[in-house]
Amino acid sequence: MIRQATLDELPVLRDIEDASGKLFADIGMTMVADDPPPPLETLREFQRAGRAWVWTDDTDHPVGYLILGIVDGAAHVEQVSVHPDHAGRRIGKRLLDHAVRWAKDQGMQAITLTTFVDVAWNGPYYERLGFRYLPAADETPALCAIRAAEAAHGLDQWPRACMRAEVDTWAFDPAF
């Protein structure tokens, strides 16, 4: 059920992002909920690089996606989103498993991301999966630049952090 996103599906990824982003409004983070999804050109870059994956339903329609960057030699989760109609099925975890496997196949040691610390489906969720919070002193130069761009965008109204997981110790879902 995980495969590369096609060019024709990129607008669907934006729709998934819009739908999943609305959950932030429910917890008072309307600025995040109203933030537009990545532009098609950005998604196209990940798709062309072979680092845009979708989880599809029984009709091969994408219901979740993950785009993966490379930041200071580590795989970096730029975005992982699951349509709320399909939440609670471990789709996000399986997409992350796929990204970790890809990173391991590329000889990378780690996978990183930035996230909201106090949002249940963000920091605490990733921590349960095996990510650890990076102290600011351990952030690589490019992670520092990402965090600075996020702060400039206003995302630091809520606590944010970088997280990292080692690919060699990642716990894959048994079905994966």
Side-chain angles (χ1 to χ4, degrees):
M1 293 183 106
I2 295 176
R3 63 170 172 73
Q4 286 287 327
T6 67
L7 282 173
D8 292 342
E9 293 170 331
L10 298 183
V12 176
L13 306 190
R14 291 175 49 97
D15 294 341
I16 293 168
E17 184 66 21
D18 274 337
S20 65
K22 298 304 177 208
L23 298 173
F24 286 95
D26 295 341
I27 60 169
M29 297 172 71
T30 53
M31 185 192 93
V32 176
D34 294 340
D35 197 39
L40 284 175
E41 185 53 40
T42 299
L43 293 172
R44 224 177 268 120
E45 290 171 18
F46 286 103
Q47 191 272 339
R48 286 184 184 137
R51 296 189 315 269
W53 297 286
V54 294
W55 179 277
T56 60
D57 64 14
D58 293 338
T59 66
D60 200 38
H61 182 76
V63 298
Y65 80 97
L66 184 145
I67 52 176
L68 193 68
I70 300 171
V71 174
D72 289 331
H76 182 78
V77 178
E78 295 287 339
Q79 186 64 45
V80 58
S81 294
V82 175
H83 194 285
D85 291 347
H86 298 271
R89 300 178 191 173
R90 298 193 62 80
I91 294 170
K93 169 64 163 93
R94 290 188 176 118
L95 285 164
L96 287 164
D97 284 352
H98 188 81
V100 170
R101 184 164 319 244
W102 181 90
K104 191 171 191 169
D105 289 347
Q106 304 306 309
M108 296 177 181
Q109 303 298 309
I111 186 166
T112 60
L113 54 81
T114 61
T115 193
F116 293 106
V117 173
D118 297 326
V119 175
W121 62 89
N122 277 203
Y125 170 75
Y126 296 123
E127 193 170 32
R128 285 192 308 274
L129 297 183
F131 283 88
R132 65 178 172 81
Y133 289 102
L134 278 178
D138 292 346
E139 292 175 8
T140 64
L143 285 175
C144 289
I146 290 168
R147 287 288 298 117
E150 291 173 348
H153 191 65
L155 294 179
D156 280 6
Q157 293 180 51
W158 306 276
R160 283 188 68 76
C162 292
M163 298 184 86
R164 175 184 168 112
E166 306 307 313
V167 299
D168 287 338
T169 58
W170 184 259
F172 292 93
D173 266 7
F176 194 75

